[in-house]
Amino acid sequence: LARRRCAGSSSLAARTTMPPSAASGPGQTRKASDRAQEKGVRESNIVAAKSVADAVRTSLGPRGMDKMISSAGGDVVITNDGATILKQMEVAHPTAKMLVDLSKSQDVEAGDGTTTVTVIAGALLNQAEILLKKGIHPTVISESFLLAAKKSEEILQAMSIPVDLGDREQLIKAAATSLNSKVISNNSSLLAPLAVDALLSVIDPATATNVDLRDIATVKKLGGTIDDTELVNGLVFTQKVSHAAGGPTKVTGAKIGLIQFCLSAPKTDIEQNVTVSDYTQMDRILKEERKYILDMCKKVQKSGCNVLLIQKSILRDAVNDLSLHFLAKMKILVVKDIERDDVEFICKTCGCLPIANIDTFHPEKLGRAELVHEVSTGDGKIVRVTGVPNEGKTVTILCKASNNLVLDESERSLHDALC
């Protein structure tokens, strides 16, 4: 009986004893592989973000190097602005794209510091990688970063100096600091005071706490040098005055109208052709077109308008040779191809209202200016509008440079200085 019991217990032990691999089961093996995959994805994300930060790290600070970026179309950009560099990069990794978006949001929110935030993000991720290798859970690391961010904000608030918008010298120093790391740092003595004067001219320093940069327009014109950059209390158009039929190029006591309709023959709403085989009918069509355009031009003249700004049209020609001929005979200065994005700034500066239909072209919708004239520059001509009634609400900075690379960089640098 004792022998049977021993044999039974040994057979039970044999049945219940399993190899270690079988005891762990497929579920635990799957968990181990999931952890390994999570670790691999985490490392891949950190490597991608660090590579983006390393790409712009060398452009940081006054001793930073400029980057030459060539696009697929052959365009070349030379800059050390972090947002511009990252915008030109073709990034595919999702985490790297997040750093690009981080730089964009910094550019929108603060206007400067785009390289700094990218480099700081890369450095924080580098330290996070070290902590992960020590076995610290990612949630603990992220919560610690949030606590550190709150403490950093308190320290920065304590050591910051309030900006007095009435202290011009302090503002010039701040703008010069922003320009010292740019390609055009040698011209910071000119551009820093110009940016500060532009800022102070659109606000009341006694009451203002912030500045709307939409009130400061930056216009680029090729020709001359950076030293020729100037501040204009009014408007500057890079579009030329229409010289058809000997129209005027200078108007004093200007009454400015901004139209958003076309001074040309109407077209059908659908794509179709009209075939005219009779010469009398053809002659009648031409006479009707001439009469239609002449009536529109007469309504413009009747309102007292002597400077006409025509918004660019994408559907058909905003103005044709016949309407330009009639307007020139009526001594009306015409500037065409006004961009839609500039309409709000023009209206705020001149005090005019955009006119969408010829039937609503009334004198009360016209803007005013003392002088509108065309000026020759090194590379073409520009139109200057000065003596506007709303002087002090808006201002225009006319940027000049000898080539497009320096011109684009000077515009970006002025934007950073204004911010």
Side-chain angles (χ1 to χ4, degrees):
L1 182 62
R3 280 199 299 272
R4 281 198 201 99
R5 284 177 181 170
C6 290
S9 62
S10 63
S11 63
L12 181 63
R15 283 198 301 273
T16 55
T17 303
M18 293 182 292
S21 59
S24 61
Q28 293 188 8
T29 306
R30 195 180 299 114
K31 286 181 181 178
S33 64
D34 288 346
R35 287 196 197 96
Q37 188 177 3
E38 287 173 9
K39 184 179 178 182
V41 170
R42 208 175 288 127
E43 289 177 353
S44 170
N45 291 339
I46 291 174
V47 168
K50 283 167 62 179
S51 63
V52 172
D54 290 339
V56 296
R57 187 191 304 278
T58 53
S59 66
L60 181 65
R63 295 184 179 275
M65 294 180 290
D66 301 325
K67 303 289 185 185
M68 179 183 286
I69 307 163
S70 178
S71 66
D75 297 328
V76 177
V77 176
I78 299 175
T79 182
N80 65 354
D81 182 55
T84 307
I85 295 170
L86 293 175
K87 189 165 59 177
Q88 297 288 335
M89 290 172 63
E90 296 179 1
V91 179
H93 197 281
T95 308
K97 284 182 178 179
M98 287 179 66
L99 273 194
V100 175
D101 293 338
L102 171 69
S103 178
K104 284 181 183 176
S105 61
Q106 173 71 11
D107 192 33
V108 171
E109 186 66 27
D112 203 0
T114 51
T115 308
T116 306
V117 294
T118 309
V119 172
I120 289 175
L124 289 173
L125 286 171
N126 186 38
Q127 296 302 313
E129 186 179 20
I130 296 171
L131 295 173
L132 286 169
K133 287 179 180 178
K134 291 181 178 180
I136 301 174
H137 197 273
T139 308
V140 177
I141 297 173
S142 61
E143 288 174 354
S144 304
F145 276 168
L146 290 173
L147 292 173
K150 291 179 181 178
K151 188 63 179 176
S152 301
E153 189 176 350
E154 292 175 7
I155 295 170
L156 289 172
Q157 289 283 358
M159 65 188 293
S160 63
I161 301 172
V163 177
D164 182 12
L165 292 177
D167 189 349
R168 184 172 179 271
E169 293 303 319
Q170 184 186 10
L171 293 174
I172 289 175
K173 288 179 182 178
T177 303
S178 175
L179 292 170
N180 281 340
S181 62
K182 305 297 180 185
V183 176
I184 56 171
S185 57
N186 293 333
N187 303 92
S188 61
S189 59
L190 166 74
L191 297 179
L194 189 140
V196 172
D197 291 339
L199 183 143
L200 292 176
S201 62
V202 298
I203 62 168
D204 183 6
T207 57
T209 57
N210 205 347
V211 183
D212 188 356
L213 292 183
R214 290 175 296 183
D215 294 338
I216 303 173
T218 305
V219 178
K220 299 184 295 183
K221 185 62 181 175
L222 194 63
T225 63
I226 297 176
D227 293 332
D228 297 327
T229 300
E230 59 179 315
L231 195 65
V232 180
N233 287 316
L235 290 169
V236 175
F237 298 111
T238 53
Q239 298 90 336
K240 299 177 184 177
V241 170
S242 176
H243 294 279
T249 58
K250 181 178 179 180
V251 174
T252 54
K255 295 180 180 178
I256 303 168
L258 174 60
I259 63 171
Q260 296 178 310
F261 57 87
C262 299
L263 282 174
S264 57
K267 290 189 176 181
T268 55
D269 293 334
I270 58 175
E271 185 88 19
Q272 63 180 13
N273 295 322
V274 179
T275 304
V276 181
S277 56
D278 188 0
Y279 285 110
T280 57
Q281 295 294 330
M282 193 181 299
D283 188 45
R284 183 181 172 189
I285 290 173
L286 293 173
K287 284 182 179 178
E288 286 294 328
E289 179 183 351
R290 185 183 180 90
K291 181 177 180 299
Y292 176 81
I293 294 175
L294 181 59
D295 288 343
M296 294 176 75
C297 293
K298 283 182 177 178
K299 288 181 180 179
V300 173
Q301 184 188 32
K302 184 180 178 181
S303 68
C305 172
N306 53 15
V307 175
L308 190 64
L309 308 178
I310 304 175
Q311 183 178 306
K312 184 186 288 185
S313 173
I314 58 173
L315 300 176
R316 57 191 172 102
D317 294 334
V319 64
N320 59 14
D321 293 338
L322 187 60
S323 56
L324 289 174
H325 170 77
F326 288 140
L327 293 170
K329 294 297 182 185
M330 297 171 182
K331 301 299 179 185
I332 297 174
L333 186 147
V334 179
V335 181
K336 56 185 181 179
D337 293 337
I338 301 296
E339 295 291 343
R340 182 185 294 272
D341 296 337
D342 298 334
V343 169
E344 184 180 354
F345 184 80
I346 293 169
C347 293
K348 192 171 185 178
T349 305
C350 298
C352 62
L353 293 173
I355 303 167
N357 192 294
I358 187 64
D359 295 327
T360 59
F361 205 113
H362 302 306
E364 57 269 16
K365 292 191 175 183
L366 301 180
R368 301 287 189 275
E370 292 179 6
L371 179 64
V372 179
H373 62 124
E374 191 177 53
V375 182
S376 298
T377 61
D379 185 62
K381 297 179 179 179
I382 59 172
V383 180
R384 296 173 70 117
V385 181
T386 54
V388 292
N390 290 334
E391 192 170 312
K393 287 188 177 180
T394 60
V395 71
T396 303
I397 299 175
L398 178 60
C399 283
K400 292 185 179 180
S402 55
N403 58 67
N404 284 317
L405 295 176
V406 178
L407 189 62
D408 292 340
E409 184 62 17
S410 65
E411 184 197 20
R412 286 190 288 267
S413 303
L414 271 172
H415 175 262
D416 288 354
L418 288 168
C419 292

